[in-house]
């Protein structure tokens, strides 16, 4: 899952054009924009949906070696609680601080971000940060009681429930019971 070099798509909101900085050290521009999230921004259980808003609040500054990008990207990741399956949303604030080298800069850092022509692509950077920040086991709250292991009732709502309660249909999906135990009712 390394950051692959790819051609920036100028239509992507996360690809920024720097031509107005004229490669002139010291020139700068603020970027305050709402853009659309790309596909697959997250892990299997939680992520920023494709097309959901990402708010950029960035400063682009031309320096001698390239363009320095600093600021923040904010977005909302959505998923399900890993214990009770309730939908949850997590506000994400991604710090951006990255130097994009000008093409032809012969710095020997293979990992360095680079401009392609006058375009810089924030997507690989943002993708990595989102993956690092998102929990693999998101919870609706620290002490979520989860579902009853016997019948799947939400124990947050029914801490003392007795059996005979209807089986929560989401639990049958989770446990893969739909095939094995439903039989003929
Ligand atoms: Zn929960
Ligand atoms: Zn139960």
């Amino acid at each position: 899952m390394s950051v692959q070099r790819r051609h920036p798509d100028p239509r992507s909101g996360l690809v920024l054009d720097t031509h107005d900085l004229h490669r002139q050290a010291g020139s700068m521009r603020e970027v305050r924009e709402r853009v659309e999230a790309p596909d697959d921004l997250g892990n299997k259980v939680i992520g920023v949906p494709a097309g959901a808003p990402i708010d950029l609040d960035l400063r682009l500054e031309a320096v001698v070696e390239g363009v320095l990008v600093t600021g923040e990207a904010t977005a909302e990741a959505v998923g399900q609680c890993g214990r009770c399956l309730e939908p949850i949303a997590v506000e994400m604030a991604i710090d951006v601080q990255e130097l994009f080298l000008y093409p032809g800069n012969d710095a020997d850092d293979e990992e360095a971000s680079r401009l392609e022509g006058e375009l810089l692509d924030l997507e690989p950077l943002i993708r990595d940060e989102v993956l690092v920040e998102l929990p693999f086991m998101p919870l609706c709250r620290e002490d979520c009681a989860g579902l009853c292991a016997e019948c799947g009732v939400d124990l947050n709502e029914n801490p003392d429930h007795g059996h005979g309660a209807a089986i929560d249909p989401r639990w049958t999906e989770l446990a893969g019971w739909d095939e094995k135990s439903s039989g003929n009712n």
Side-chain angles (χ1 to χ4, degrees), residues 15-183:
V15 172
L16 305 178
D17 193 336
T18 65
H19 75 273
D20 55 336
L21 299 177
H22 304 295
R23 288 203 186 195
Q24 204 165 35
S27 58
M28 62 178 73
R29 170 160 71 94
E30 313 252 296
V31 175
R32 289 211 180 82
E33 272 175 49
R34 170 164 284 192
V35 302
E36 289 186 359
D39 294 341
D40 301 321
L41 196 57
N43 59 40
K44 279 185 184 149
V45 287
I46 187 166
V48 181
I54 299 179
D55 288 314
L56 301 179
D57 186 357
L58 302 171
R59 193 171 76 153
L60 310 188
E61 183 181 356
V63 296
V64 174
E65 308 88 348
V67 175
L68 182 64
V69 185
T70 53
E72 197 175 63
T74 49
E76 187 180 74
V78 296
Q80 280 185 321
C81 173
R83 289 188 194 146
C84 73
L85 308 184
E86 282 300 308
I88 52 176
V90 177
E91 292 297 328
M92 308 200 66
I94 299 148
D95 272 325
V96 179
Q97 190 154 36
E98 185 80 359
L99 174 63
F100 288 78
L101 299 174
Y102 289 128
N105 183 306
D106 56 1
D108 46 34
D109 183 356
E110 285 291 311
E111 297 290 303
S113 297
R114 287 169 188 275
L115 288 152
E116 179 151 326
E118 296 179 313
L119 300 178
L120 65 81
D121 187 359
L122 295 171
E123 186 178 322
L125 198 76
I126 294 216
R127 191 177 287 287
D128 282 3
E129 285 299 312
V130 164
L131 284 174
V132 167
E133 280 196 28
L134 281 177
F136 284 101
M137 173 75 160
L139 297 177
C140 61
R141 56 172 206 247
E142 268 317 286
D143 61 347
C144 171
L147 305 178
C148 169
E150 297 272 319
C151 70
V153 147
D154 188 335
L155 298 175
N156 297 304
E157 289 162 18
N158 301 283
D160 306 310
H161 84 97
H163 284 184
I167 291 179
D168 187 319
R170 291 172 302 176
W171 175 244
T172 56
E173 278 174 34
L174 181 74
W177 283 0
D178 39 347
E179 309 229 323
K180 277 179 223 151
S181 63
S182 58

Side-chain angles (χ1 to χ4, degrees), residues 3-21:
V3 179
Q4 295 298 328
R5 202 131 294 162
R6 54 185 207 125
H7 289 289
D9 177 355
R11 290 163 304 177
S12 161
L14 293 175
V15 172
L16 305 178
D17 193 336
T18 65
H19 75 273
D20 55 336
L21 299 177

